[in-house]
Amino acid sequence: MSTVTVAGPTGTSTRGLLGAHWLMLRTRGGLILLALGVLVPLAVLVLVLLTGQQTFDVDGADLADPLINTTVACALFAPLLGAMIGGSPFRHGTIVPLLLAEPRRTRVVLAAVLVAGGVAAMSAVLYILLGSAVALPWLANQGVPVGEVLADPALWWRLLGSTAVVAVTGMFGAALGALLRGLLGPVLVLVGSFIVEGSVIAYVNDEWFRWSLWANLVVLTEPTAELPFPFWQSVLFVVGVLAAVVAAALVSTTRRDAA
Amino acid sequence: MSVIRVNGLVKRYGRRDVVRDLSFEVPAGSVTAFLGLNGAGKTSTLRVLLGLASPTRGSATVFGQPYAALDHPARRVGAVLEANASHPGRTGRRHLAVIAATAGVPKRRIAGLLDQVGLTAAADARVKTYSLGMKQRLALATALLGTPELLILDEPTNGLDPAGVRELRDLVRRHAATGGTVLVSSHQLAEIAQVVDRAVVIHEGRLVGSGPIDELTAGHDSLEDAFFALTQTATGVSA
């Protein structure tokens, strides 16, 4: 071990912490998951287009259906990505050097949640760009006036809503990853809640769907449609649940021993 | 002036006190051995000291503050707690880049540190291909990222080959020669006796001896003899 002179300023920063979480995601597993989050919805889109399961009217909302429905498929991978960002440091013990470098645990967890949301949104945008590159020429070839449809604000609102849903599910994954300190737990909770919630509500009373996280997430993808309950209520509900999960992750991470 | 101050520390896991009313200080500029048998409470004490675990009672401070309150912790304290604290799918260089980004340390320091710990050739290999000794070297490079004043090393010789042990000994000596402070826990008593000037000995969570190495070993042939005399006396007392 030869002598080395190391000098210069040191100090933690939010930007550095966000960059660290992004660097941590760049393992083989993380990049594969990121690629699957874009390529699987793309494959589904191609299948939908080829099998002609959609009716392509000149109405913007209808044209958007195949693209938007498959954008929501990105939300299947976003929680996994999020859980990887929030839970992996605990699973692999890297939380120890991380907290030695930045002992303010709330900052570490919040940075993980923000990066998960950002990366998930980025994957959705990337998918929309790739999906558009595939779908729009195909639809134009079917005689759909693509130019008119693209001018319809409804299309953009729905794509924006879908991207927000993907980002939110990524953030849920990261917060649950930090709360449950692993990867499998968050996925089981999210998938389990989807199945249990739907089954219970459908059995008890359909009216209760207004209190379903998943029903409200779907509403966010339809901001211009006629909705079973107000759009603003869904926004508040989803933001409230997300804030509660993030708060639980912060309290748990702060109070429990790190390792 | 004391760089580390542990005062009446108690750490309980479940119903078991692993650290019991422990108090000691580590003066600035000293190389202090932190000794105890397996399960004596050394690692638990270090975890509390580094803010990774909360004390049940009492306090543990570095530079007069709890670790979490330090402004630039990586510049003040560098710690090696366990060798397996790096993602197996990440390269050694990437691991250091993650911690450098978190600590706000310039990335340009990484190459020099990899060279310093002898990992340049393996810097771009995944950590899962590293031996225990290489992981230990990576952990040491992580601790040195911020050029800290205080080094806290928990069993740093685990897995190191004889050359690595000698290099670590030289590093500790150089650090102390430049005014730095070192607290090092180890079971290699003969090895550690060559570099330390003070020792803190704990047994079953309690302090059984502390002070300059000359005082602790007075009347004994070696640090090892003094250590066993202290811990066996403590066992007799507690029995």
Side-chain angles (χ1 to χ4, degrees):
Chain A
M1 298 182 198
S2 57
T3 310
V4 65
T5 305
V6 283
T10 61
T12 56
S13 69
T14 303
R15 192 177 155 200
L17 204 49
L18 294 173
H21 278 293
W22 168 239
L23 276 175
M24 280 193 277
L25 183 64
R26 285 164 56 189
T27 57
R28 187 178 291 173
L31 293 176
I32 288 173
L33 203 54
L34 203 52
L36 284 176
V38 174
L39 294 177
V40 169
L42 198 62
V44 174
L45 173 68
V46 170
L47 272 177
V48 168
L49 293 175
L50 289 180
T51 55
Q53 288 176 12
Q54 302 288 336
T55 304
F56 304 114
D57 295 334
V58 288
D59 176 67
D62 284 348
L63 172 64
D65 275 347
L67 191 61
I68 288 167
N69 291 344
T70 46
T71 301
V72 177
C74 294
L76 296 175
F77 292 90
L80 280 172
L81 267 174
M84 186 174 270
I85 294 170
S88 177
F90 291 97
R91 187 177 174 218
H92 294 290
T94 53
I95 193 68
V96 169
L98 204 61
L99 288 180
L100 289 176
E102 173 50 278
R104 288 167 292 185
R105 300 180 188 188
T106 50
R107 294 188 74 199
V108 174
V109 173
L110 283 176
V113 171
L114 286 178
V115 169
V119 169
M122 217 170 62
S123 75
V125 170
L126 183 61
Y127 165 71
I128 288 168
L129 292 175
L130 289 173
S132 301
V134 170
L136 296 183
W138 193 91
L139 291 167
N141 196 40
Q142 302 293 308
V144 175
V146 170
E148 282 178 33
V149 173
L150 286 177
D152 185 349
L155 173 71
W156 298 102
W157 277 114
R158 293 182 69 194
L159 287 175
L160 189 65
S162 302
T163 305
V165 166
V166 176
V168 164
T169 52
M171 294 165 95
F172 267 119
L176 284 170
L179 181 64
L180 303 175
R181 300 187 167 194
L183 304 181
L184 191 59
V187 174
L188 289 177
V189 167
L190 284 166
V191 173
S193 70
F194 177 70
I195 296 167
V196 172
E197 192 186 70
S199 308
V200 169
I201 292 171
Y203 182 74
V204 178
N205 187 341
D206 280 358
E207 276 293 301
W208 287 19
F209 265 112
R210 71 171 53 228
W211 305 112
S212 153
L213 172 64
W214 294 96
N216 280 287
L217 281 170
V218 170
V219 166
L220 293 190
T221 68
E222 305 275 351
T224 56
E226 203 168 296
L227 301 168
F229 30 89
F231 179 72
W232 62 265
Q233 181 197 293
S234 290
V235 172
L236 278 182
F237 184 84
V238 168
V239 169
V241 174
L242 179 62
V245 175
V246 171
L250 292 176
V251 170
S252 158
T253 311
T254 308
R255 294 200 173 172
R256 287 171 68 191
D257 289 350
Chain B
M1 186 198 128
S2 295
V3 169
I4 292 174
R5 195 183 296 264
V6 174
N7 189 20
L9 183 67
V10 175
K11 180 62 186 173
R12 179 176 298 155
Y13 289 111
R15 292 181 176 180
R16 185 165 166 257
D17 286 349
V18 292
V19 180
R20 306 172 187 195
D21 197 25
L22 182 64
S23 300
F24 67 89
E25 294 184 8
V26 174
S30 69
V31 179
T32 303
F34 190 35
L35 307 176
L37 298 170
N38 285 338
K42 301 186 298 295
T43 300
S44 297
T45 303
L46 296 182
R47 285 181 186 279
V48 173
L49 188 62
L50 293 165
L52 297 167
S54 52
T56 305
R57 275 203 312 275
S59 64
T61 58
V62 281
F63 298 106
Q65 291 177 295
Y67 185 85
L70 293 174
D71 269 346
H72 300 286
R75 189 162 54 188
R76 309 298 303 277
V77 184
V80 173
L81 281 189
E82 54 196 59
N84 289 316
S86 41
H87 192 290
R90 225 168 269 154
T91 66
R93 193 187 303 279
R94 176 65 58 79
H95 170 77
L96 289 176
V98 167
I99 303 304
T102 307
V105 174
K107 261 171 73 176
R108 65 175 183 275
R109 297 186 184 188
I110 293 171
L113 279 169
L114 285 165
D115 185 44
Q116 186 180 2
V117 300
L119 273 182
T120 301
D124 296 312
R126 292 179 195 282
V127 169
K128 65 182 169 194
T129 66
Y130 283 17
S131 66
L132 179 59
M134 290 163 84
K135 288 178 186 169
Q136 198 68 271
R137 287 167 185 264
L138 182 62
L140 190 61
T142 310
L144 295 172
L145 262 173
T147 324
E149 302 163 55
L150 168 64
L151 281 177
I152 295 177
L153 311 173
D154 189 15
E155 302 290 350
T157 54
N158 269 1
L160 286 183
D161 56 20
V165 172
R166 173 185 272 188
E167 288 162 2
L168 180 71
R169 192 167 60 218
D170 292 345
L171 184 138
V172 168
R173 283 185 176 142
R174 278 201 308 274
H175 190 75
T178 56
T181 307
V182 183
L183 177 65
V184 54
S185 133
S186 177
H187 290 143
Q188 309 288 327
L189 298 182
E191 176 59 43
I192 208 167
Q194 297 182 50
V195 287
V196 299
D197 44 42
R198 300 178 64 85
V200 172
V201 185
I202 65 171
H203 185 66
E204 295 177 350
R206 289 196 175 90
L207 182 76
V208 293
S210 76
I213 211 82
D214 295 344
E215 287 179 18
L216 282 173
T217 55
H220 300 281
D221 290 339
S222 62
L223 177 61
E224 187 178 286
D225 284 347
F227 171 78
F228 281 115
L230 284 166
T231 52
Q232 280 164 9
T233 304
T235 304
V237 169
S238 60

